[in-house]
């Protein structure tokens, strides 16, 4: 719903519809009689924004349309959309400003939630592309490991190192599969594993890498 207000600039009298009272959560018997009192209900950080819009409308005669925050009596903030236009007399003096105000807090919150969802979707798309490239790289490495094993004697220490690399590739492929499932809004693939075995394989691979470097 939208509230209406009317500011008699000459006499500085301010009139509001019942909906304005409802938006500000205040009693109709204790409301504003001057525009300055209306400004006092605006969030301190947005007061200058409102004043600039009003001053520009009074100076240029151009209607304004802005969003700003207000503070309710219980201290909570609400977001409102406000627009107004000025009426001038024959001498070009501003005599009246008529405006509307609407509580758009819920609309703004839904917009923010939508933006967050869109950002998450973008991140998911980006992550999906990275995981695909990572998976392709693993396939290339795996293929080269298979070729290397053909030229190495199975009794050689380096052959054992190649097997450890293969284990690491298999683990990495499992991780990339789960990431791809996650980025597509699916349920991650869960399977049991032995922590001790996983740690042993990791340590073995690390030691093997050190031996290769030597």
């Amino acid at each position: 719903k939208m509230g209406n207000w009317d500011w008699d600039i000459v006499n500085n009298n301010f009139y509001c519809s019942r909906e304005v009272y409802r938006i500000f959560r205040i009693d109709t018997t204790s409301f504003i009689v001057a525009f300055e009192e209306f400004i006092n209900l605006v969030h301190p950080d947005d007061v200058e924004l409102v004043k600039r819009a009003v001053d520009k409308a009074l100076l240029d005669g151009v209607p304004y349309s802005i969003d700003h925050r207000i503070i309710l009596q219980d201290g909570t903030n609400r977001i409102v959309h406000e627009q107004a236009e000025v009426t001038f007399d024959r001498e070009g003096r501003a005599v009246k400003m008529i405006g509307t105000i609407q509580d758009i807090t819920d609309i703004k919150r839904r917009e923010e939630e939508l933006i967050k969802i869109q950002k998450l979707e973008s991140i998911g798309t980006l992550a999906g592309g990275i995981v695909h490239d990572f998976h392709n790289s693993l396939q290339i490495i795996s293929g080269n490991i298979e070729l290397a094993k053909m030229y190495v004697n199975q009794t050689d220490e380096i052959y054992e190192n190649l097997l450890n690399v293969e284990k690491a590739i298999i683990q990495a492929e499992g991780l990339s599969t789960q990431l791809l499932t996650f980025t597509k809004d699916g349920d991650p693939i869960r399977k049991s594993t032995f922590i001790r075995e996983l740690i042993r394989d990791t340590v073995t691979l690390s030691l093997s890498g050190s031996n290769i470097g030597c």
Side-chain angles (χ1 to χ4, degrees):
K1 294 182 179 180
M2 187 176 296
N4 303 297
W5 54 266
D6 186 320
W7 178 26
D8 178 355
I9 299 174
V10 177
N11 300 303
N12 196 25
N13 292 326
F14 202 85
Y15 308 93
C16 303
S17 68
R18 288 186 176 275
E19 185 62 22
V20 174
Y21 292 96
R22 190 196 66 78
I23 291 173
F24 282 92
R25 309 287 200 277
I26 53 180
D27 188 85
T28 56
T29 61
S30 60
F31 196 34
I32 1 177
V33 293
F35 186 75
E36 289 77 10
E37 294 181 36
F38 174 82
I39 291 295
N40 289 336
L41 298 173
V42 176
H43 191 285
D45 293 341
D46 294 345
V47 168
E48 286 303 316
L49 168 68
V50 176
K51 285 185 176 180
R52 284 197 303 268
V54 172
D55 291 343
K56 184 173 179 58
L58 293 174
L59 181 64
D60 301 335
V62 179
Y64 70 81
S65 178
I66 58 174
D67 296 340
H68 65 82
R69 291 165 293 174
I70 60 174
I71 300 181
L72 306 184
Q73 290 181 331
D74 62 3
T76 58
N77 297 334
R78 303 291 291 181
I79 304 173
V80 297
H81 176 71
E82 184 183 349
Q83 54 188 30
E85 60 182 22
V86 182
T87 301
F88 296 86
D89 62 14
R90 293 182 178 179
E91 285 72 33
R93 294 174 300 184
V95 295
K96 180 182 290 188
M97 178 177 283
I98 300 174
T100 60
I101 187 168
Q102 181 181 15
D103 189 333
I104 59 170
T105 306
D106 294 337
I107 296 175
K108 284 293 185 181
R109 286 174 180 170
R110 286 194 293 269
E111 289 178 351
E112 290 176 357
E113 290 174 357
L114 180 59
I115 291 173
K116 289 180 180 178
I117 292 173
Q118 291 173 338
K119 286 183 178 179
L120 288 174
E121 289 177 347
S122 299
I123 293 173
T125 301
L126 176 62
I130 293 173
V131 173
H132 271 295
D133 292 341
F134 177 64
H135 186 75
N136 292 336
S137 297
L138 288 176
Q139 293 297 314
I140 295 173
I141 296 172
S142 180
N144 282 294
I145 293 295
E146 283 295 325
L147 289 174
K149 285 165 59 180
M150 296 172 59
Y151 296 96
V152 177
N153 194 309
Q154 295 186 10
T155 59
D156 291 346
E157 184 180 354
I158 193 171
Y159 189 86
E160 183 67 23
N161 293 337
L162 292 173
L163 292 178
N164 290 330
V165 173
E166 273 190 328
K167 288 182 180 180
I169 291 173
I170 293 172
Q171 291 177 355
E173 286 179 339
L175 176 61
S176 65
T177 299
Q178 290 199 50
L179 288 173
L180 280 175
T181 304
F182 178 75
T183 57
K184 294 178 180 178
D185 295 329
D187 294 326
I189 301 172
R190 296 179 174 87
K191 63 178 182 178
S192 60
T193 185
F194 294 99
I195 300 299
R196 184 177 299 175
E197 180 181 343
L198 181 61
I199 294 174
R200 187 189 65 227
D201 290 342
T202 303
V203 172
T204 302
L205 179 59
S206 300
L207 293 175
S208 299
S210 300
N211 292 335
I212 292 174
C214 295

